[in-house]
Amino acid sequence: MLFSSSVRLWLLPNAVLLVVLSTWGVFRYPDLPGRIPKHIGLDGVDAWTDRSIGSAFVLVFVYAGVTVLMVGCAELTLRLTPRDELSHSTAAPCAAAQATSSLLNRSGSRVSARRIARALLLLNTCIGISFLAGCGMLWRSTPDPNVPAWFLVAMTLPLLAGTAVTVAAAASDRKR
């Protein structure tokens, strides 16, 4: 199988978000103005760019790349042998040092590995939700430099929530 069952189930919201973002962008693209936001600062849109596929779909492309990276990390987390399943051999003089160094970034158990993999994929979903808000701003039909107050919250809150869950999953593993 290409992905383990834990990854496949938690990959579904990410795939749905990617399809929604892509479809929404394809339908919005013909109606976009000639200039679209390139950068949004604290005072609103402070840089503009000409409309093109690359500039209009930059968030979709970035999200697709982040999704590939996060799925790869989640899959590798599940495929590494956890610390509690490794045999500790002291046959060689350097075995203890090698064993210690190879354990630094391993999950403590299979349960912990699944928890961390799910947290990574949940973080990716939160990134997608944040990018959904960003695309809403990017794909407005008029080139308005004003940005509503909710925009910063809509972009930041999902990222903070996903990061908190991921850090909590990793910290929980380190305690055990």
Side-chain angles (χ1 to χ4, degrees):
M1 291 239 147
L2 185 57
F3 301 115
S4 41
S5 60
S6 297
V7 170
R8 272 181 283 162
L9 178 64
W10 285 81
L11 182 59
L12 187 60
N14 300 299
V16 168
L17 269 169
L18 193 55
V19 168
V20 165
L21 282 171
S22 301
T23 305
W24 184 24
V26 166
F27 282 112
R28 288 292 305 137
Y29 187 78
D31 298 326
L32 292 179
R35 286 178 2 144
I36 60 175
K38 181 178 182 179
H39 184 266
I40 298 173
L42 292 175
D43 296 329
V45 178
D46 55 15
W48 299 87
T49 188
D50 293 331
R51 178 184 75 176
S52 68
I53 298 291
S55 63
F57 286 89
V58 66
L59 291 178
V60 177
F61 297 149
V62 168
Y63 183 58
V66 169
T67 299
V68 168
L69 179 68
M70 291 293 213
V71 168
C73 288
E75 189 65 33
L76 287 173
T77 298
L78 293 169
R79 289 181 186 231
L80 275 175
T81 305
R83 286 190 305 262
D84 66 354
E85 293 178 15
L86 288 175
S87 64
H88 298 286
S89 167
T90 56
C94 298
Q98 288 174 342
T100 303
S101 67
S102 71
L103 295 177
L104 288 178
N105 292 316
R106 291 183 185 268
S107 305
S109 66
R110 292 277 172 206
V111 171
S112 180
R114 283 192 296 276
R115 184 182 314 114
I116 291 170
R118 287 191 302 258
L120 287 171
L121 295 174
L122 179 65
L123 173 59
N124 192 60
T125 301
C126 292
I127 291 169
I129 292 168
S130 179
F131 281 12
L132 195 63
C135 287
M137 212 36 59
L138 184 66
W139 296 335
R140 295 187 292 183
S141 40
T142 57
D144 184 7
N146 298 318
V147 176
W150 59 263
F151 178 69
L152 181 62
V153 173
M155 287 288 292
T156 308
L157 200 57
L159 295 174
L160 291 175
T163 302
V165 168
T166 305
V167 169
S172 170
D173 179 56
R174 293 293 179 211
K175 287 180 184 176
R176 296 170 190 195

